Amino acid sequence: MRANQGIFRAFEDTLRLTKRPRRATSVLFSLKDLMSRTGQKYFNRKGFITQQLKRGEAWQLLLILLLAVVMRFGRGDLVEYYHDDAMLATLALESADGRRLPLTGILSSTGIPNSPASVYLLTIPFAIKADPRFAIHFVMLFNVIGVGLLWLMARLYAKSRVAFVAGLVYAINPWAVLYSRKLWAQEMHTPLILLGLLLLLYGFLQARAPGRSRRGKFLAQALGLPLLLFAIQFHFAAWSLLPVVFLVLWVGRRHVSAPAAALAVILSILVLLPYAKGLAETLDRDPSRLSDAIGRSTAGGIEIDLAPVGHAIMLASGAGLETWTAPEQLEELASRYPPFWQANFVLAIVAVAGVLACYKRSKTMAFFVSIWAFAPVLLLIPGWTPAYVHYLIPSLPAFALMIGYGVDSLLQRLDAKPIGKGLTWAALTCLLGLQFLQWHAALGYVGERHINYPGFTAPLSKLLPLRDRLRQADDVLVISQGMAWNLHHEVAVWDTLLWEDVSCVRTLVPQGYAVFPDHAFTVAVAPDTPIEPRDSIYAKADLEIFSTRAGDRGYYVFDWKGAPDWQGPSIESIDPVSFSNGVKLSGYGFHEGEVLLEWRLPGRRVGRDYQYSAQLYDEGGARLGQWDARFWHGRHWCAGDRLLTWGPLEIDDSASTLKVAMYTLGSGKNRDQFFNAEVLDSLGNPAGQSADIPLVGSS
C-alpha cells in the first residue's frame, strides 16, 4: 500500500498548493483512509499477490497500461474486418441470438474445422451489442488486460525492472498491437494463455513459497490447466505450447493437490468436450478429412523451412510489419517509416542475451521462457505446413520477457556507471519510440491506400458510410464475385454489419443468376465483382459510389422501388412445381444455346446448399444434353423472391422433355453420391425426383 499512499500524498500536496476548497481535501483524505484500510485488509492477507508494490511500481504499471490503450485503441477506426472476422462474428451472433450453439468454429486452412472456443468468447460482446465494432473494442480491451498480466507475471517471478521493460515492449511492439485489434481467433487467446500460465506458475512452482494460501494454491491448480486448454483451442498453432504446460506440471508434481487435480481434469474435459463432439461429427460425415489434411501437409515431403526463424526475429524486434500489411508495396510503405527504423532489429539480439541471462538466474524459468518462445518455431521448421507469421502470436509475450531479462542484465552490469545506465534507458526509449512512429506510419498508409489482398484489407471505418446508407433499406442485395459464406468475404461482412437493421441481406454472383424481389430493395455492387457495375442488370442512371481507399473501384449503389424488368429471353410459364426444400419451379426458356429457369423461393435456409440440373430427353428416353450448376445458396433466400438461373444447354427439334431436378452432393463417406430433393404433388406428397416438362415448339 506504500504506492497508494505515495499517490495520495502527491495529490494532497497538489491540493494544498492550488488552495482547493477544504471539502475536496477532506474527501480525498477520507478516500485515502478507505483505500489504506482496504489494502491492509485484503492485500496483506495471505493471497495471490503477497508482495507490496514498491514506490513507483504503480506508476510504471499505469504507464504501461496507458501505452497499451493508446496503441490498441488509437486510430481504432483503422481495423480490418474481413472474411475470418465476419465468419466468426456470424457464429457469435447466431449463438448470442440463441439460434444455435456451434460445436466447431470456422474452417481452418488445413481443411479441419477450428474449435468453437473463440466463438464462445465472442458471444459475450455480441450478446451485449450486435455490432462488430463493439466486439473489436472488447478484443482490444482484452489484450490491454493481457499486457497487464504479462507485467504481473514478470513482477512476481522475475523482478520489477524486468516487468517494467517487458511490459513496455509488449505494450508498444507493432506486431503485438496489430494482433490485438480484430476478431481473428488467434488475437483473443494470448490474454487467456497468460492468465493460465500465471495460474500454473502460482499453483505448481510457487506452491511452497511463503505467504501462499491453500485456497490460492487449490484454485490455481484447478483452473490453470482448463483455462489453458480452452485458450489454445483458439488456433492450432497454440497447441505447440503444451510442452510449457508439461514442464510446469513436471517441476511442480510434488506439490499437486489431489482434489485440485481431480477438479482440473473434470474442467479440462468439459472445455474440450464441445470441440471433441463437433470434430467427431465432422469425421463421421467425412472420415477422410483428417487423413486428407495430413496427406496435403506431407505431400511434398519434409523440408527444412527457416521462415519461422525470420518470423520470430521480426516479432521480437517489432520490425518487418510491411511484409504483412502491404506485401506488394513493401518499399512504398517502408518509405513512410521514421529514419533508422531498422535499428529495432537490435532488440532481437537483446532477446537472445536475455535468455542467457535468465538461464544464469533460474534454469527452470529459462526453460519455461525458451519453450514458450521457440516451441512454435521448432514445430514449423520441418515445413509440414506453410508457416505464417501469425502462427507465432502466442510467443509475443515470451519475446517481451526475454528482452526484459536482456535489458535488466545489461543495466546490472552498468550498475556502477550512471552514464551507461542512462544511455541504455535512452536507447531503449528511442527504439520503442521508433516502433511507435513506425506503427502510426503504417496505419496512415493502410488507411488511405488501396492494398491488394492478402495485405491490409479495407478498414472497417471505410465500410461504415456504406453500412449507414444500406441500413436505410429493408432489403439489400450485394453483387459480388462469390456467394459462399465460407469462401467469399462480402457474404459474411454485410450480413453481420446489417444484422439488426435489414431484414434480408443476400449476396449474388452476376453470371448465371438474377433475383427479383417483389418490393423495394437496394443493390450494392462490390469492388471485386468481375463485371463493370454499369453493366449490371440492376444498374440505373442515379447511382452512388462509395470508395474505401484511393485506388479501388468502390461500391456502386442503386435503389429500386420494385423489381427491374427482365430484358433477356422470354420465359414460358408453367404450373409451379414444388420441391421438398420449399423451392418452386415456375417457368423455363431456351435462347441461343442456353436454358433459362424461373424459380420462386421460400425464406432463408441456412446449412444446406443445393445443385440443380436441367436435362433434355427425346421421345425414346435418350438423354440429349445436360446442364448442372450450384443453386443460389439457401442463406440468401428471401420469401417471395423470383430467381432466374441460366447456363449452356443446346436444344434441337428431337427434344421432347425437359427434366429439372434439385439435389445435394454427398461428402465424406457419401462422396460421389447425390441426394435429390423430392418433387411434391398438390397434397405435399413425394411424386418423383424431377420436374418433367413437355416441350412444345421450343427452339
Side-chain angles (χ1 to χ4, degrees), residues 115 117-118 120-121 192 225-234 271:
S115 162
S118 57
Y120 298 160
L121 181 62
L192 291 174
L225 181 60
L227 185 61
L228 274 170
L229 290 178
F230 178 74
I232 62 179
Q233 290 182 69
F234 281 37
V271 300

Side-chain angles (χ1 to χ4, degrees), residues 60-69 71-72 140-154 163-173 176-177 180 190-192 194 397 400:
Q60 292 178 2
L61 176 59
L62 182 62
L63 173 62
I64 290 169
L65 294 178
L66 180 61
L67 288 171
V69 169
M71 294 294 289
R72 283 150 183 80
M140 292 176 179
L141 178 60
F142 203 54
N143 280 278
V144 169
I145 295 172
V147 174
L149 289 173
L150 177 65
W151 176 89
L152 178 61
M153 178 186 294
F164 181 52
V165 174
L168 285 176
V169 170
Y170 192 42
I172 296 177
N173 185 300
V177 178
S180 301
T190 312
L192 291 174
L194 281 163

Side-chain angles (χ1 to χ4, degrees), residues 203-204 207 217 221 249 252-261:
F204 292 94
K217 170 188 171 182
Q221 291 191 3
L249 295 179
R253 64 190 183 280
R254 296 180 180 178
H255 309 311
V256 175
S257 163

Side-chain angles (χ1 to χ4, degrees), residues 612-693:
Y612 76 93
S613 173
Q615 304 178 33
L616 287 173
Y617 288 83
D618 61 17
E619 292 184 354
R623 186 168 60 190
L624 304 176
Q626 180 173 341
W627 163 247
D628 286 80
R630 56 182 178 174
F631 198 70
W632 199 24
H633 291 178
R635 69 169 46 248
H636 305 300
W637 300 352
C638 294
D641 279 353
R642 175 188 177 219
L643 176 70
L644 299 181
T645 61
W646 59 89
L649 183 62
E650 293 284 350
I651 186 174
D652 57 35
D653 293 339
S654 63
S656 64
T657 304
L658 172 65
K659 289 180 175 287
V660 179
M662 300 192 73
Y663 59 95
T664 58
L665 296 173
S667 61
K669 58 187 178 183
N670 295 319
R671 187 177 298 175
D672 300 327
Q673 299 184 45
F674 59 91
F675 304 90
N676 283 74
E678 297 284 348
V679 172
L680 306 179
D681 61 20
S682 58
L683 298 177
N685 298 315
Q689 296 188 336
S690 66
D692 297 347
I693 305 171

